[in-house]
Amino acid sequence: MNTSAMPTTAGRGRDAVPAPRPDDRGTPMTHLLYVAGIFCLAAWFPASIQIGALLIIVGSFGRLRRPVAIPWAVLIFIGWALLSAAWSLLPQDTLDDVIKLLAVTVAGIFAANTVRPILLARDAALALAIVCAASLVAAVVSPGTSFDTSGAMRGITPHGNSLGFNAALAVLCALFQIRRPDRRGAGWIAVVVLGGVALGFSTSMTALLGLVAGLAGAWMVWFVRTGPRETAVYRAGGLLGALGAAGLLALGNFDRLTLLIGRDPTFTGRTQIWSLILALVSERPLTGYGVGAPWRAGSPIRAYAE
């Protein structure tokens, strides 16, 4: 039997590490299409989501490492979302959103079964760095169309929070690339700085808190998985206890905490909107108002919240 094409391992016993499979790195064209696809998913122009998902699917074509299928739970959710068009406030908008949801879901499953996660994160960091750079350039060239009415920079994304989340994800993905021994870190540090600048101009506190939570989560996983296995349960329990205590402390000082991060206790009116929307939710607790429809222009719920 020819074993030259089979993966090998380094080390023996439980320390053995499978060598990278030759087909889980992708081709240069695969990664080019991934970068272009992720850029389209993050940017804002007509049909950008559908185009981005299509590019990722094309990049995965012929490179899948195993047969893939959409999980039943996801199919049920998408089916229910599609069915909601029957009672949606805006049926056409609901159908458009379901098509986008299905396209992105298929693209994500294909990408996850084509290349290793660390390489997919690299492509995401590159694509989102381009989004951040293009947004900063747009803010200089065309400030009138690159800022929200609140003064938050949105660049080439739909709004400031979108740019903030893309910038935060760029920072997170780039930080993971810095730790790779086979790559120079200077370029990724530049991506971290670029993402940080875009995140700052977006003024998205939600994205900033999400970035902090992501970094904290990554550190906690590293903390639990390092060291003797016999003490892993105790380390995990200690972290959970610390998180619980921090949560109780934050709830007890909620108003002070929100003021500390530069927000009012209503999170810029969000909690006031929630109280209004909850009353409408109680009217249709099972069916809702159609996927994506409540917040579209022309929706009575959006007008009610405004």
Side-chain angles (χ1 to χ4, degrees):
M1 178 176 63
N2 182 12
T3 60
S4 60
M6 298 179 62
T8 59
T9 58
R12 295 183 177 181
R14 73 176 189 180
D15 296 326
V17 178
R21 296 174 61 175
D23 58 349
D24 64 358
R25 295 179 179 272
T27 64
M29 181 57 67
T30 297
H31 294 291
L32 178 63
L33 290 172
Y34 279 7
V35 170
I38 296 171
F39 172 85
C40 291
L41 293 178
W44 186 32
F45 56 87
S48 60
I49 293 180
Q50 295 92 323
I51 293 173
L54 179 61
L55 289 172
I56 293 174
I57 293 172
V58 171
S60 304
F61 189 78
R63 301 292 304 177
L64 292 172
R65 292 178 287 145
R66 62 181 68 87
V68 298
I70 300 178
W72 279 107
V74 177
L75 285 175
I76 292 173
F77 176 78
I78 294 176
W80 180 254
L82 181 62
L83 188 62
S84 73
W87 56 79
S88 173
L89 297 174
L90 302 170
Q92 186 58 51
D93 290 332
T94 294
L95 289 175
D96 290 343
D97 282 351
V98 172
I99 291 173
K100 294 176 184 177
L101 174 63
L102 179 60
V104 173
T105 299
V106 173
I109 293 175
F110 271 51
N113 286 276
T114 300
V115 298
R116 286 181 291 171
I118 191 65
L119 297 180
L120 188 57
R122 181 196 65 186
D123 295 340
L126 290 173
L128 297 176
I130 297 172
V131 170
C132 292
S135 295
L136 291 171
V137 172
V140 174
V141 175
S142 180
T145 59
S146 300
F147 288 85
D148 293 335
T149 55
S150 62
M153 186 177 79
R154 65 168 177 260
I156 63 171
T157 67
H159 48 75
N161 280 335
S162 296
L163 177 60
F165 279 113
N166 288 325
L169 187 57
V171 170
L172 192 62
C173 291
L175 286 173
F176 282 110
Q177 300 302 316
I178 292 175
R179 293 185 57 83
R180 294 181 63 194
D182 58 335
R183 291 287 182 268
R184 297 182 181 272
W188 296 116
I189 292 175
V191 173
V192 171
V193 173
L194 177 63
V197 171
L199 177 58
F201 279 112
S202 75
T203 69
S204 175
M205 190 57 63
T206 306
L208 178 60
L209 293 176
L211 175 60
V212 172
L215 292 174
W219 177 82
M220 286 189 289
V221 171
W222 172 84
F223 180 76
V224 171
R225 295 186 63 181
T226 55
R229 294 184 178 180
E230 294 76 11
T231 60
V233 175
Y234 300 105
R235 293 196 298 274
L239 284 175
L240 291 176
L243 287 175
L248 292 175
L249 183 63
L251 290 175
N253 298 272
F254 184 74
D255 290 351
R256 294 180 180 179
L257 181 62
T258 54
L259 293 176
L260 180 64
I261 62 177
R263 292 292 186 271
D264 62 273
T266 67
F267 287 105
T268 322
R270 285 181 176 86
T271 56
Q272 296 173 339
I273 294 176
W274 297 342
S275 63
L276 296 174
I277 297 303
L278 284 175
L280 294 174
V281 170
S282 64
E283 297 179 5
R284 295 189 183 182
L286 297 179
T287 60
Y289 294 86
V291 172
W295 299 110
R296 294 293 184 91
S299 165
I301 293 182
R302 176 168 175 172
Y304 180 64
E306 291 176 345

